[in-house]
Amino acid sequence: MSGVEHRYEVTGRREIWSGRIFSVVSDDVTMPGGGSATRDYVRHVGAVAVVALDDAGQVVLIRQYRHPVGRHLWELPAGLMDVGGEDLAAAALRELAEEADLTAGRVDVLVDLHSSPGFADEVVRVFLARDLADVPADQRHDRHDEEADLQVVRVDLDEAVRMVLAGEITNASCVAGLLAAARARDTGFTELRRPEAPLPR
């Protein structure tokens, strides 16, 4: 690669709308060659997701209704990074317990992704959880709203990859996590990052 990358500087910002999970902003940004342009985008709190892989080589998939697309999707146990100061791995384990009634004895980073960088700054960290165990029945999370309709299944990892390639799984973090988990398994889990590895900036 040659040349120097242009530094896109924000010269003005307006918040158009703000909510609990995300806000919509409009930035004035300097462009190469002079001048500026307006870019509208979503500022998001971020999320974590978990590929829970059991000793039989199966992964936990969740079927959940997603209103923006108007249908149920196959997904990973996942949730928002909306608890101030919460460790990302701890957030992932919390979601695993709440959505799949599971704990994990080992957690590693699988992959980080910008879910839709054309219009949002959301970063999703996908963890690999192993050494799974059931949450005791009397300690399980009481699910509400869409979560009350969750379907939780275990699928062989290779079958889950087939579902990705067949277009049956389209959730971005689920696609990325499953493909990364298959790669990690096939390379003996030697390329995983530690749970506290820094997020991409």
Side-chain angles (χ1 to χ4, degrees):
M1 293 197 334
S2 62
V4 177
E5 290 185 335
H6 173 74
R7 183 174 177 182
Y8 293 85
E9 295 185 5
V10 176
T11 60
R13 171 168 293 159
R14 296 163 300 284
E15 187 173 78
I16 298 169
W17 183 86
S18 180
R20 184 180 69 85
I21 298 170
F22 65 87
S23 59
V24 180
V25 298
S26 184
D27 284 355
D28 298 320
V29 185
T30 60
M31 291 290 125
S36 65
T38 301
R39 296 290 180 259
D40 301 331
Y41 64 99
V42 172
R43 298 189 72 180
H44 194 279
V45 296
V48 292
V50 188
V51 176
L53 181 66
D54 68 18
D55 292 340
Q58 294 185 314
V59 291
V60 175
L61 294 180
I62 288 175
R63 189 133 173 104
Q64 183 171 1
Y65 178 75
R66 292 298 187 181
H67 187 69
V69 296
R71 61 191 181 95
H72 287 77
L73 297 178
W74 287 112
E75 303 186 349
L76 301 173
L80 299 169
M81 295 189 294
D82 59 352
V83 177
E86 185 176 31
D87 176 79
L88 297 183
L93 290 172
R94 174 175 51 80
E95 294 296 340
L96 183 63
E98 289 180 1
E99 296 190 353
D101 300 322
L102 291 170
T103 63
R106 179 165 185 176
V107 179
D108 298 285
V109 175
L110 260 181
V111 67
D112 296 317
L113 63 142
H114 288 102
S115 58
S116 192
F119 79 94
D121 69 353
E122 181 187 31
V123 176
V124 182
R125 167 153 286 181
V126 185
F127 290 91
L128 176 67
R130 290 176 284 172
D131 300 337
L132 305 179
D134 292 329
V135 172
D138 62 342
Q139 297 176 24
R140 293 183 180 175
H141 180 69
D142 187 20
R143 300 185 183 109
H144 301 281
D145 300 324
E146 289 93 342
E147 287 187 352
D149 185 40
L150 286 183
Q151 177 186 355
V152 182
V153 300
R154 293 198 192 193
V155 177
D156 185 82
L157 178 55
D158 289 327
E159 170 61 11
V161 169
R162 183 206 65 76
M163 293 169 69
V164 167
L165 298 178
E168 297 168 22
I169 294 176
T170 59
N171 173 280
S173 57
C174 191
V175 168
L178 293 172
L179 295 179
R183 166 71 180 181
R185 177 202 59 194
D186 294 346
T187 56
F189 302 106
T190 58
E191 300 174 343
L192 299 173
R193 285 175 285 155
R194 64 191 190 282
E196 66 276 10
L199 281 170
R201 293 288 175 217

